[in-house]
Amino acid sequence: MKDDVIAPEAPVITAKLNTLCFQILGVLLRQPRSGYEIVKQLEMVWPVKTSQIYPTLARLEKMGLVVSDDVEQQGRPNKRVYSVTRSGEKTLRDWVGTEPAPPVWRDEFLTMLYSAWTKDPQQVLAMFECRLKYLDDTMNMLRSRLAEHRATFPEELKNPRNWHFFRDILISRRLFNYEQELVWSQSVIYKLREFIDGERES
Amino acid sequence: MKDDVIAPEAPVITAKLNTLCFQILGVLLRQPRSGYEIVKQLEMVWPVKTSQIYPTLARLEKMGLVVSDDVEQQGRPNKRVYSVTRSGEKTLRDWVGTEPAPPVWRDEFLTMLYSAWTKDPQQVLAMFECRLKYLDDTMNMLRSRLAEHRATFPEELKNPRNWHFFRDILISRRLFNYEQELVWSQSVIYKLREFIDGERES
DNA sequence: GAATCCATGTAATTGGTTACATGATTCA
DNA sequence: TGAATCATGTAACCAATTACATGGATTC
């Protein structure tokens, strides 16, 4: 608590951090991990490739926000496990609660729908059928994750001072999202079927 | 229909088109527009800056997918209006219906929530209150757009061979999305309040 | 024998943002 | 008078993906 007055613990190299940096700090603050593990952890949250993660981790280390520790393993390659420093923790906590940038979601499926009036309604229907399958698969995966998490940490996830609370609400948010898209898709499918039937009769 | 056999209308320079290119073609196929107008049109769909749009339009023109026409205006700067060629239309139609890339949404607010367990629940509550305001504003904007569109084109938007059909379903999808996030936010706010009250008592 | 998982990286390229440049018109 | 809108662009930079490189262990 007196760090900033008495002993500035790290040589603070000021540089602008992007959202990915804060996301990485967030993962590592929950639990120290290697670059490879971070990539898997962020797969659904903020997809990132190894070619981006390793240089970023090196940058964070140079800034004194994380430290690494080489861990030897038998039967697998060794790994370098990163953890957050006190300086990194402060940086992260200071960022949380600032004004977030407006969300941007880019969905190629929607871009295709934008011009789907150039296609036959039957083909658009087929596009939606494929989408339904994708949605169903993703939802099942999320449901099992959520169930497992709730069974394993029934108490922790009631406490907003515990990260399990936020894991729970973030998974359930994604699930809600897919459920809602499913409902919407079905309503569009209904409209398309109605039109196709009407066209066939005349 | 015989273009590819008898008279290939454009010198087809094959190059990979990204989603933005198809999105631009989609906008221009609905109606010819200038670069500046495209940017405004895509504001909510696929945000893009002028510095990206002008070089991209030049590239599409070089590929023979769009053509431009200088339009003089009084009281404002002249503009260059782009429209889609037959080759561009074919390119777009061939792309629609192919396997779309998995959607990626990046939301800084969610990244903040990921590490919000490091903050006081009261402060997290404040973050959500801000979010509610943002959601409410966006929903009102979408609702008025949707209402206007439905009043102006009541017949066109029933026909999936008309682009108004897809404009309607895409706006309503976004509205659904925000409505659902609102409900989720309120459920989280409820949990946070419950915890805060419980903590105060003890 | 081929594919996937574990594990860490570099090089090249594409995608996207920020900053800069210009200039008339309209609105508060 | 200052800000916003209309209008088109370039240069520099940051973010992200693709391709390349290596190599043992495990699974099908």
Side-chain angles (χ1 to χ4, degrees):
Chain A
M1 291 293 168
K2 303 174 197 168
D3 283 0
D4 50 340
V5 180
I6 294 172
E9 62 169 351
V12 183
I13 297 153
T14 322
K16 276 168 206 164
L17 299 174
N18 56 29
T19 316
L20 175 61
C21 291
F22 292 111
Q23 187 62 69
I24 291 171
L25 288 174
V27 171
L28 296 178
L29 191 61
R30 287 185 179 185
Q31 188 190 311
R33 286 180 194 276
S34 68
Y36 187 84
E37 288 165 341
I38 294 171
V39 171
K40 296 192 75 189
Q41 202 65 22
L42 290 183
E43 202 190 340
M44 295 272 111
V45 180
W46 190 286
V48 68
K49 303 283 153 79
T50 54
S51 50
Q52 201 184 1
I53 207 84
Y54 292 114
T56 307
L57 282 169
R59 228 181 88 218
L60 290 173
E61 190 165 30
K62 223 186 285 174
M63 287 192 276
L65 304 176
V66 300
V67 281
S68 65
D69 188 32
D70 285 317
V71 175
E72 283 180 40
Q73 296 184 120
Q74 66 271 50
R76 330 179 148 183
N78 297 342
K79 60 181 176 178
R80 182 168 295 168
V81 172
Y82 290 84
S83 43
V84 180
T85 63
R86 251 182 292 170
S87 157
E89 198 184 328
K90 189 184 182 305
T91 304
L92 177 60
R93 197 168 41 232
D94 287 350
W95 176 73
V96 175
T98 60
E99 182 68 23
V104 175
W105 52 81
R106 297 199 150 122
D107 191 336
E108 223 174 66
F109 178 70
L110 299 183
T111 300
M112 285 178 180
L113 282 187
Y114 192 95
S115 299
W117 57 281
T118 63
K119 305 287 273 191
D120 203 82
Q122 277 287 2
Q123 290 177 282
V124 181
L125 205 59
M127 286 167 69
F128 271 97
E129 306 281 11
C130 282
R131 187 69 163 192
L132 283 191
K133 209 200 159 306
Y134 164 78
L135 291 174
D136 198 54
D137 290 349
T138 317
M139 280 163 64
N140 282 332
M141 186 268 292
L142 287 173
R143 276 201 199 100
S144 64
R145 269 202 204 189
L146 199 62
E148 196 201 321
H149 187 241
R150 286 182 178 174
T152 319
F153 305 98
E155 283 312 310
E156 288 89 334
L157 57 78
K158 286 175 192 161
N159 183 355
R161 296 189 192 274
N162 187 305
W163 61 262
H164 288 101
F165 177 92
F166 290 95
R167 180 169 147 86
D168 181 80
I169 64 162
L170 286 172
I171 297 176
S172 78
R173 188 187 170 280
R174 268 188 292 147
L175 189 57
F176 273 31
N177 220 291
Y178 283 107
E179 277 167 356
Q180 172 262 304
E181 191 178 332
L182 186 89
V183 171
W184 171 80
S185 298
Q186 283 164 340
S187 80
V188 178
I189 287 173
Y190 181 83
K191 284 182 191 177
L192 287 169
R193 287 232 172 88
E194 219 175 26
F195 179 85
I196 291 166
D197 290 345
E199 217 176 30
R200 207 184 299 152
E201 276 168 37
S202 62
Chain B
M1 289 294 167
K2 302 175 194 168
D3 282 1
D4 49 341
V5 180
I6 294 170
E9 62 171 351
V12 182
I13 297 154
T14 322
K16 277 168 203 162
L17 300 173
N18 55 29
T19 316
L20 175 60
C21 291
F22 293 110
Q23 186 63 69
I24 291 170
L25 289 173
V27 171
L28 295 179
L29 190 62
R30 287 186 179 185
Q31 188 191 311
R33 286 180 194 277
S34 68
Y36 188 84
E37 287 164 341
I38 295 171
V39 171
K40 295 191 76 187
Q41 203 65 22
L42 290 183
E43 201 190 340
M44 295 272 112
V45 180
W46 190 286
V48 68
K49 302 284 152 76
T50 54
S51 52
Q52 201 184 359
I53 207 83
Y54 292 115
T56 306
L57 283 168
R59 229 182 86 217
L60 289 173
E61 190 164 31
K62 222 185 289 173
M63 287 191 276
L65 304 175
V66 300
V67 281
S68 65
D69 187 33
D70 283 317
V71 175
E72 282 180 42
Q73 296 185 118
Q74 67 270 51
R76 327 179 152 183
N78 297 342
K79 60 181 177 179
R80 181 168 298 169
V81 172
Y82 290 85
S83 42
V84 180
T85 63
R86 252 182 293 170
S87 156
E89 198 182 329
K90 188 184 182 303
T91 304
L92 177 60
R93 196 167 42 235
D94 287 348
W95 176 73
V96 175
T98 60
E99 180 67 22
V104 174
W105 53 81
R106 295 200 151 121
D107 191 336
E108 222 172 68
F109 178 69
L110 299 183
T111 300
M112 286 178 181
L113 283 187
Y114 192 95
S115 300
W117 57 281
T118 63
K119 306 285 276 191
D120 203 84
Q122 278 287 0
Q123 288 176 285
V124 181
L125 205 60
M127 287 167 69
F128 271 97
E129 306 283 9
C130 283
R131 187 70 162 191
L132 284 190
K133 209 200 160 305
Y134 164 78
L135 291 173
D136 198 55
D137 291 349
T138 316
M139 281 163 63
N140 282 331
M141 188 266 293
L142 287 173
R143 277 202 198 98
S144 64
R145 271 203 203 186
L146 198 64
E148 196 200 322
H149 188 240
R150 286 183 177 173
T152 320
F153 305 99
E155 284 311 311
E156 288 90 334
L157 56 78
K158 286 175 192 161
N159 183 355
R161 295 189 193 277
N162 188 304
W163 62 262
H164 288 101
F165 177 90
F166 290 95
R167 180 170 147 83
D168 181 80
I169 64 162
L170 285 172
I171 297 176
S172 77
R173 187 188 171 280
R174 268 188 291 146
L175 190 55
F176 274 30
N177 220 293
Y178 283 107
E179 276 167 357
Q180 171 262 305
E181 189 177 333
L182 186 87
V183 172
W184 172 79
S185 298
Q186 283 165 339
S187 80
V188 177
I189 288 174
Y190 181 82
K191 285 182 192 177
L192 287 169
R193 287 232 173 88
E194 221 175 23
F195 178 84
I196 291 166
D197 290 345
E199 216 176 30
R200 206 185 298 149
E201 274 169 37
S202 60

